[in-house]
Amino acid sequence: MSDIILIFIKAFVFGGLICVIAQLLINFTKITSGKILVYFMLSGLFFEAIGLYQYFVDFAGAGATVPICGFGYLLAKGAKEGAKQGLFQAITGGITSASMGLTAAIVFGCLFAFIFSVRSKKN
């Protein structure tokens, strides 16, 4: 039982640290949230390219794979595994490895768009 709690704590702390870094960037810099999103995805891709992100995943589990930098990690990992089979698989490997998450995002995005009405924010 205590092992499960430790897994949850590590995931929460690591994922929370990623969120804290993003919030600090939003609060204390003029970087837009869209750019921060891209930087975090590219950081996951970079850390996987140099072989460090797997250590984050082994330590924090979902705390490292669920945030947006985990998406960059997943794309890079799929491309690396696909490159072992050929050039075409290197190009398509990232999308193939992330297809379930992308499909879920599209399906749930459409579902919620049908359920909720869109209104512009009033100032």
Side-chain angles (χ1 to χ4, degrees):
M1 183 69 163
S2 64
D3 289 341
I4 294 173
I5 293 172
L6 183 61
I7 290 169
F8 285 141
I9 290 172
K10 288 193 294 187
F12 179 77
V13 169
F14 192 85
L17 181 63
I18 292 170
C19 294
V20 165
I21 293 169
Q23 191 63 50
L24 290 173
L25 288 172
I26 290 170
N27 289 348
F28 297 113
T29 68
K30 295 197 182 286
I31 302 173
T32 63
S33 53
K35 287 183 181 180
I36 292 170
L37 182 87
V38 171
Y39 293 152
F40 273 52
M41 192 206 62
L42 291 175
S43 71
L45 192 136
F46 172 76
F47 284 126
E48 174 59 21
I50 63 173
L52 286 178
Y53 208 86
Q54 188 60 47
Y55 294 114
F56 299 153
V57 172
D58 292 341
F59 174 75
T65 58
V66 172
I68 191 65
C69 48
F71 181 68
Y73 153 75
L74 193 60
L75 290 174
K77 185 177 178 183
K80 281 173 43 177
E81 290 174 5
K84 295 174 185 172
Q85 299 172 353
L87 178 62
F88 183 72
Q89 287 81 6
I91 295 169
T92 60
I95 299 299
T96 303
S97 66
S99 62
M100 185 172 24
L102 290 172
T103 302
I106 292 168
V107 168
F108 286 115
C110 288
L111 178 69
F112 286 115
F114 289 130
I115 293 173
F116 298 102
S117 63
V118 178
R119 288 176 282 216
S120 63
K121 187 175 178 182
K122 295 181 181 179
N123 294 333

